[in-house]
Amino acid sequence: MQTTFEPIRIVPEESPAETRNEEFAPFITSTGQTAEQSLDDTQRVRSESSSPRNDQTNEVPRPPESPRLVRLPPRILPRKQFQVIQRWEGIVTDVDDKTLTASLEDLTNDGNPTEIATIDLREIPDEDLSLAVKGACFYWSVGFITSSQGVTIRRFSELRFRRLPAWSKSEIKRIQAEAKQMFAGFDAR
Amino acid sequence: MQDKCPADDVLELSLFGPGIGECIVVHLGCGDWMVVDSCLGEDRETPVARQYLESIGVNLETQVKLIVITHWHADHIAGASKLVSQCKNAEVALSGAWFNEAFFELVISAQCPTHVKRHSPSAEIWAIFERLRDRGNPGGHPDHWATHGNVLFNEAHAQVFALSPMAATVTAAELDLRKQTPVEGESILTPPPVHPNAHSVALLIKKGNHAVLLGADLPSDGPSERGWDAVIDSRVRPRVSANAFKVAHHGSGNGDTPRIWSELLASDPIAFVAPYATGRKKLPSADDVNRIRESSAALYCTSCPGHRKAVRRHSSVERTIKEMGVTIRQLTKSDSQIRWRLSEDGRHETELISGAKQL
């Protein structure tokens, strides 16, 4: 069974017409990727989106002026204009009618410890709200949107929940057969 | 701090709990050790039980005689499969409420490659089964499916009794678990299995004239035939009063009842609690602390939030976090430890290590 992510479609608010050009792939592909693969993509996006003056140092370019924060709309952002500087994987540990609590693993710096975040549900995209249940997995990215010349336009924050396919009949049958064997004390695999 | 093994006649209980996990290490006497639940150390790889036992010179392979996983919640199980692998001579006990096909279906379904393994208690249970299979246990079954009345360790110097889950819990468990097994057409996006705390294995350790009660997350609310009331009313439970109590469910009121203190514990018992910091409601609350303090001679807690240095981040990330109104808090150090040693003559001492404190 394959992991499926809903495409993340992002476009700056003042998107030039060329940003919808097909040469720009979605940030994360819609099928066949594991979380690790999607992280690899993040790294690739980061290196591709570095401005020329930072290619040598790999440093995050400093914005010329303090850019304002935008919550990304669900459209397509060209890969070269999307620079992730921080990414977390979160697991929801609790939800109430206003906030969710989640444990965060820092995907940008593996050495950082697990942290606990409380996030307002208004920060969750409407189409993901139904997925925000205890135990659900999400990815939270923070970074810069840059122009094609590498100039920072603004910061962005994107919080998207992981989507998975539905159980198939054959998969359930396999699970039930293995469970029967294990319950009876036989090795299922 | 005495960084050496306790004497043969000393009962030692160490509680570790950084706010996201809990682990209890017990010296049963004569060099025999037991580990109850598991959480990971500062390196997020090594079980704290292993770190501690090796630091005091215990041979994991030969001296750890029993490993008990009280229940399936992530905060009680991290690294347990590594312990099972390393403690080759230890018998393993899992909750008897899991001995049904629905439980195995849940565990197997969680092996689906789409699941996030590093957070999954199901993956940890599966790994335990694999380690037990390696040992030759048929089907990877544990040595004990613990239920009320089972004796899990029985030597002249100490005995360990399972006080729960109760028969009524075991009977209802398959139906409880069946509600969470995969359904055709429904999304695989499911939370990690949420099991009733009534599935927990509460334990009583008896050593000579002394005893310790380990409350796991056993509830006092819900059906009376499944929780603490049923344990207390049981005719087969050992009739001893415990001198010390690892408070149930991180000190929560729904894991407590006055009957525990009056009928299972001696007067003025020592109480230990590991906090739970990952939920919306932190445990124990101020009310919980007051309630437990009123009933005990002393209450010790493994850690308190804010102990750890804050993580450094890019200033733009910090600004974004602030603008979104997100609060991010640190967990405490996982080597935070309460160590309690009880001699045969009743003398006891408590050591608070790396952030543990008396409340």
Side-chain angles (χ1 to χ4, degrees):
Chain A
M1 193 168 295
Q2 284 190 315
T3 308
T4 305
F5 290 91
E6 182 180 87
I8 295 176
R9 300 161 310 231
I10 306 151
V11 150
E13 285 170 349
E14 302 144 16
S15 58
E18 66 268 22
T19 60
R20 294 189 185 86
N21 191 304
E22 286 187 2
E23 72 175 285
F24 300 118
F27 173 50
I28 297 174
T29 59
S30 60
T31 56
Q33 281 193 311
T34 63
E36 289 73 20
Q37 284 170 324
S38 72
L39 178 58
D40 289 344
D41 267 4
T42 307
Q43 304 301 340
R44 187 148 43 89
V45 167
R46 183 188 307 170
S47 70
E48 285 178 2
S49 61
S50 293
S51 60
R53 66 177 183 276
N54 287 297
D55 282 346
Q56 305 261 318
T57 60
N58 256 351
E59 283 178 5
V60 173
R62 301 292 300 177
E65 55 190 45
S66 190
R68 69 184 179 90
L69 173 69
V70 292
R71 277 71 165 176
L72 290 170
R75 295 188 197 164
I76 298 171
L77 179 79
R79 197 176 273 186
K80 288 178 180 173
Q81 295 185 359
F82 188 88
Q83 185 178 20
V84 176
I85 56 171
Q86 174 69 54
R87 196 157 190 252
W88 289 278
E89 180 186 76
I91 295 290
V92 178
T93 56
D94 216 341
V95 188
D96 63 21
D97 54 350
K98 287 183 180 168
T99 60
L100 67 78
T101 306
S103 66
L104 296 182
E105 296 290 340
D106 191 334
L107 300 182
T108 312
N109 183 349
D110 269 353
N112 281 341
T114 303
E115 297 177 282
I116 305 300
T118 305
I119 300 170
D120 196 311
L121 289 180
R122 286 174 297 190
E123 295 293 342
I124 313 296
D126 287 347
E127 61 270 31
D128 279 11
L129 265 180
S130 62
L131 304 174
V133 295
K134 200 171 175 178
C137 175
F138 64 86
Y139 296 91
W140 179 18
S141 304
V142 175
F144 298 121
I145 298 169
T146 58
S147 70
S148 53
Q149 287 77 37
V151 177
T152 300
I153 298 170
R154 60 187 60 131
R155 282 178 291 133
F156 75 87
S157 167
E158 183 194 55
L159 201 155
R160 297 306 300 263
F161 276 77
R162 198 178 185 209
R163 286 163 162 76
L164 297 169
W167 289 108
S168 68
K169 192 173 185 174
S170 62
E171 191 70 6
I172 289 176
K173 274 192 172 175
R174 179 190 65 79
I175 289 166
Q176 288 172 341
E178 283 187 18
K180 252 187 213 318
Q181 278 200 301
M182 279 188 75
F183 181 65
F186 298 109
D187 288 345
R189 291 182 180 182
Chain B
M1 184 174 112
Q2 297 169 284
D3 281 314
K4 58 181 184 180
C5 280
D8 276 359
D9 62 345
V10 169
L11 173 68
E12 178 190 305
L13 181 149
S14 277
L15 174 62
F16 300 86
I20 197 170
E22 177 176 314
C23 175
I24 304 163
V25 179
V26 183
H27 178 240
L28 297 165
C30 300
D32 290 339
W33 291 82
M34 169 175 78
V35 179
V36 181
D37 292 333
S38 180
C39 60
L40 298 175
E42 283 290 282
D43 62 0
R44 298 196 290 169
E45 293 286 336
T46 314
V48 289
R50 176 187 170 180
Q51 287 178 340
Y52 173 60
L53 289 171
E54 287 183 340
S55 77
I56 59 170
V58 172
N59 183 327
L60 270 74
E61 192 168 328
T62 58
Q63 289 186 259
V64 178
K65 298 296 170 62
L66 179 64
I67 296 171
V68 182
I69 304 301
T70 64
H71 61 302
W72 196 352
H73 289 166
D75 57 324
H76 288 256
I77 200 170
S81 61
K82 288 180 180 168
L83 277 179
V84 171
S85 177
Q86 289 148 358
C87 305
K88 297 184 191 308
N89 199 34
E91 294 196 340
V92 176
L94 303 180
S95 171
W98 301 345
F99 187 48
N100 54 67
E101 286 183 22
F103 173 76
F104 286 107
E105 283 180 34
L106 277 171
V107 174
I108 292 167
S109 65
Q111 302 320 302
C112 161
T114 54
H115 278 254
V116 183
K117 295 285 190 296
R118 67 174 155 158
H119 297 286
S120 167
S122 309
E124 192 66 51
I125 288 280
W126 179 262
I128 291 172
F129 285 149
E130 288 192 317
R131 300 294 84 77
L132 291 169
R133 252 187 236 122
D134 295 343
R135 287 185 186 185
N137 287 26
H141 286 212
D143 303 287
H144 304 274
W145 290 108
T147 58
H148 177 74
N150 288 165
V151 182
L152 304 179
F153 181 84
N154 190 12
E155 295 288 343
H157 53 272
Q159 301 83 44
V160 178
F161 303 91
L163 298 183
S164 66
M166 304 304 293
T169 306
V170 174
T171 306
E174 178 150 26
L175 282 177
D176 288 339
L177 297 169
R178 182 64 65 193
K179 290 173 192 163
Q180 300 170 68
T181 53
V183 175
E184 185 187 346
E186 284 192 3
S187 171
I188 294 178
L189 181 73
T190 51
V194 179
H195 301 294
N197 284 331
H199 292 190
S200 296
V201 184
L203 298 164
L204 184 84
I205 302 164
K206 186 172 179 298
K207 181 167 176 56
N209 296 321
H210 307 296
V212 173
L213 179 63
L214 306 181
D217 278 3
L218 192 67
S220 54
D221 56 2
S224 61
E225 70 276 16
R226 301 191 200 179
W228 280 109
D229 281 334
V231 171
I232 295 164
D233 291 336
S234 163
R235 294 179 182 178
V236 300
R237 73 170 168 83
R239 288 296 191 266
V240 291
S241 298
N243 315 76
F245 179 31
K246 199 293 289 180
V247 179
H249 199 207
H250 311 283
S252 166
N254 64 24
D256 199 5
T257 162
R259 292 188 68 197
I260 295 175
W261 302 89
S262 61
E263 298 182 52
L264 297 182
L265 297 168
S267 58
D268 294 328
I270 306 293
F272 310 104
V273 65
Y276 180 71
T278 56
R280 180 169 40 90
K281 187 182 173 190
K282 321 294 178 293
L283 296 173
S285 67
D287 287 347
D288 294 330
V289 170
N290 289 335
R291 187 191 68 249
I292 297 165
R293 282 172 58 182
E294 280 175 15
S295 304
S296 58
L299 169 61
Y300 299 100
C301 183
T302 50
S303 54
C304 48
H307 186 65
R308 187 193 287 275
K309 196 177 169 185
V311 172
R312 290 189 66 182
R313 278 182 271 264
H314 192 287
S315 58
S316 292
V317 176
E318 289 293 355
R319 192 167 162 219
T320 304
I321 291 169
K322 192 175 173 186
E323 285 179 22
M324 290 175 69
V326 175
T327 57
I328 296 184
R329 58 186 191 276
Q330 322 296 317
L331 293 170
T332 50
K333 285 167 70 73
S334 55
D335 55 358
S336 177
Q337 175 186 5
I338 301 165
R339 184 163 70 180
W340 181 73
R341 285 179 168 172
L342 173 69
S343 304
E344 218 166 30
D345 60 9
R347 285 182 297 120
H348 62 91
E349 61 174 352
T350 306
E351 293 167 274
L352 303 175
I353 302 161
S354 193
K357 66 174 190 175
Q358 183 169 359
L359 297 177

